[in-house]
Amino acid sequence: MVDTTNVPPPQWTNTGFLIPSAAEVLAGVTEDINAAFGGGLNPALDTPQGQLASSETAVIDEVNATFLYFTNQVDPAFASGRMQDAIARIYFLERNPAQPTVVQALCNGLPGVSIPAGSLALAADGNQYLCTEDGVIGTDGTVVLPFQCTVYGPIPCPADTLNQIFRAIPGWDSINNPEDGIVGNNVESRSAFEARRAASVALNSQGSLPSVLGAVLAVPNVIDAFVTENNSNGIQVIGGVSLYPNSLYVAAVGGNADDIARAIWTRKAPGCAYNGNTTVIVLDESPGYSPPYPAYSVAFEIPDPLPIVFSVNLVGSALVPADAATQVQNALISAFAGGDGGIRAKIGATLYASRYYAPVALLGSWVRIVSIEVGSPNNPEAVFTGAISGPTLTVSAVTSGALAVGQTIFDASGNVVPGTRIVALGTGTGGVGTYTVNNSQTVGSEPMSSAAADLFDLNVRIDQVPTLSAANIVVTLS
């Protein structure tokens, strides 16, 4: 007896492993059953033979799909989970665990007082933050130090909320974060892990930009990094930043400054010119040298936070829950940090509002999006000099643009409460005069700007890292 079947088999082709469709499998199974019973059977799916054909088709199709999934897992572009971990292990890489939120904190106290790594501060939400670098309070009574949350994951730390010293140090009087913290990550997503694996291919090379980027991204707790260079003989503006002639530019968020500087130095030959606001002395302790070791100054950029504002307009209905705004804010903050499996908002990137449609839409069937728009201080609606007393913003001079209801107010010093928006006109109608804001506060006269979430995309400079807090996400129903 010769066993034959009309079910088309899977095929190995030059384009990969191909399986027949469920309809093709069902047609083959139906023919087999019809032949087994001598022909003439009714093929309708509501008959006993139709039910049998449907069940057998489901079994075959599931087995085919399982083999198709497995064969795709050997391709780094599609691998996930355990198979992706195995591919990465070939490159001596392991998936990053969850990473903590990182905050640049302003510490105040007596000049000369040391604040050691490991010092603890407390945020308003009860989370503890650990200082990751040693620092000494300067002659002006301040020092800026990086702190990271002791609980890993995408935990927001809005401006002015890291404001308590948890473990007292004599001479260290107070702490505050003028800007939002850089939100951490959950366990590294499939897409982020593959992007890092691809970057790591150049890790063992010397001198190339991918080599430097791969080395910096391999530093523990580095959340984001950006690398470029100016290989011309004159100053060049790249990504909004002026770079020295024949120089390297590295921006990094998170991680230890000494480790980042050494990673840069090991991949770029000594003598290279560097750009950045942070300088570390790296000692060459290679075999053959003895103290005092050759010392090199390596500079890199710790980028300033760039607050992003969102405007989300949804169709209003009886199905919209009372906490819709909170749900939307949480979804956007998570997606902004890559928590939805997509790419996180990065240094020097272009942010597209359309990137955030899916995480909002997935909140439920009640979501009907009219629009999602973005904005930032990089795209100001107005630049002016202002002061705030209580709920009143007093504008004394306007350099450019016009103020309007709905705009969010920013200042370089961080004195303005995050999420401060113009809610009503006073004597001002776009220029000099008074305006009502939603947050009562006291801010002395200083340069300010206003921004509106009225763009579908915006550019982040290479010395900026985008940040997002719930206060800067406005949800409206239409």
Side-chain angles (χ1 to χ4, degrees):
M1 175 178 174
V2 179
D3 293 329
T4 60
T5 179
N6 292 294
V7 177
Q11 298 179 28
W12 289 98
T13 72
N14 290 335
T15 59
F17 184 68
L18 301 179
I19 63 174
S21 67
E24 291 172 326
V25 173
L26 177 62
V29 170
T30 301
E31 289 183 33
D32 288 350
I33 292 175
N34 187 54
F37 284 92
L41 290 181
N42 182 353
L45 296 181
D46 58 354
T47 63
Q49 57 270 22
Q51 294 282 322
L52 180 62
S54 295
S55 299
E56 187 174 339
T57 296
V59 172
I60 295 172
D61 196 47
E62 183 176 355
V63 172
N64 285 345
T66 299
F67 274 98
L68 177 63
Y69 173 79
F70 181 78
T71 57
N72 282 337
Q73 289 298 290
V74 301
D75 184 345
F78 301 104
S80 62
R82 178 67 180 82
M83 291 296 290
Q84 187 183 31
D85 290 340
I87 292 172
R89 199 163 287 125
I90 298 173
Y91 299 86
F92 303 99
L93 292 177
E94 292 187 3
R95 191 184 303 271
N96 280 335
Q99 294 173 310
T101 294
V102 176
V103 181
Q104 296 296 318
L106 180 66
C107 302
N108 300 276
L110 296 176
V113 170
S114 295
I115 301 177
S119 300
L120 288 172
L122 189 67
D125 62 1
N127 281 301
Q128 295 180 15
Y129 283 74
L130 185 76
C131 182
T132 58
E133 291 182 19
D134 296 328
V136 178
I137 297 177
T139 55
D140 63 349
T142 66
V143 63
V144 176
L145 292 172
F147 283 72
Q148 68 180 38
C149 189
T150 57
V151 177
Y152 285 33
I155 298 174
C157 185
D160 301 320
T161 59
L162 185 63
N163 50 23
Q164 297 182 56
I165 298 172
F166 187 76
R167 184 180 297 158
I169 294 175
W172 179 21
D173 298 333
S174 64
I175 185 173
N176 190 41
N177 60 314
E179 303 285 352
D180 293 347
I182 311 304
V183 178
N185 288 333
N186 288 318
V187 175
E188 192 170 25
S189 67
R190 195 212 71 81
S191 59
F193 195 18
E194 170 54 21
R196 189 162 64 88
R197 184 207 64 79
S200 75
V201 172
L203 184 60
N204 292 325
S205 64
Q206 291 287 339
S208 69
L209 298 186
S211 171
V212 177
L213 178 61
V216 173
L217 288 174
V219 173
N221 294 326
V222 167
I223 295 174
D224 191 13
F226 184 94
V227 177
T228 189
E229 66 182 348
N230 174 14
N231 54 14
S232 71
N233 292 324
I235 293 176
Q236 192 174 22
V237 177
I238 299 176
V241 178
S242 295
L243 305 185
Y244 297 126
N246 302 301
S247 66
L248 176 72
Y249 176 89
V250 178
V253 176
N256 180 273
D258 290 342
D259 294 338
I260 293 170
R262 180 164 291 277
I264 297 169
W265 178 79
T266 58
R267 293 295 177 247
K268 200 69 172 178
C272 171
Y274 301 105
N275 302 269
N277 56 12
T278 302
T279 300
V280 174
I281 302 300
V282 176
L283 300 180
D284 187 351
E285 300 176 334
S286 301
Y289 287 127
S290 58
Y293 294 110
Y296 301 92
S297 294
V298 177
F300 67 94
E301 186 79 16
I302 296 178
D304 293 327
L306 175 67
I308 304 298
V309 293
F310 272 84
S311 173
V312 180
N313 188 9
L314 306 177
V315 175
S317 74
L319 298 176
V320 177
D323 66 341
T326 300
Q327 288 192 45
V328 171
Q329 289 166 348
N330 291 340
L332 288 179
I333 290 172
S334 176
F336 203 78
D340 63 341
I343 300 298
R344 68 176 292 136
K346 298 172 69 67
I347 301 167
T350 299
L351 300 186
Y352 295 95
S354 57
R355 152 77 174 90
Y356 302 96
Y357 272 65
V360 174
L362 290 174
L363 289 174
S365 59
W366 56 269
V367 175
R368 288 186 290 169
I369 300 173
V370 177
S371 64
I372 297 180
E373 296 174 294
V374 294
S376 81
N378 282 0
N379 312 92
E381 299 291 325
V383 178
F384 57 94
T385 300
I388 303 177
S389 178
T392 302
L393 165 66
T394 301
V395 176
S396 57
V398 176
T399 304
S400 63
L403 291 89
V405 171
Q407 294 176 0
T408 302
I409 307 301
F410 298 97
D411 66 337
S413 63
N415 292 324
V416 175
V417 173
T420 296
R421 288 182 291 277
I422 299 174
V423 294
L425 302 178
T427 61
T429 56
V432 172
T434 60
Y435 301 82
T436 301
V437 296
N438 59 330
N439 292 323
S440 291
Q441 57 200 288
T442 300
V443 179
S445 181
E446 62 173 354
M448 298 180 180
S449 65
S450 64
D454 56 4
L455 303 171
F456 295 115
D457 61 82
L458 58 85
N459 294 319
V460 180
R461 290 163 46 121
I462 64 173
D463 62 347
Q464 298 173 324
V465 56
T467 63
L468 182 63
S469 61
N472 284 329
I473 301 173
V474 177
V475 180
T476 57
L477 301 179
S478 61

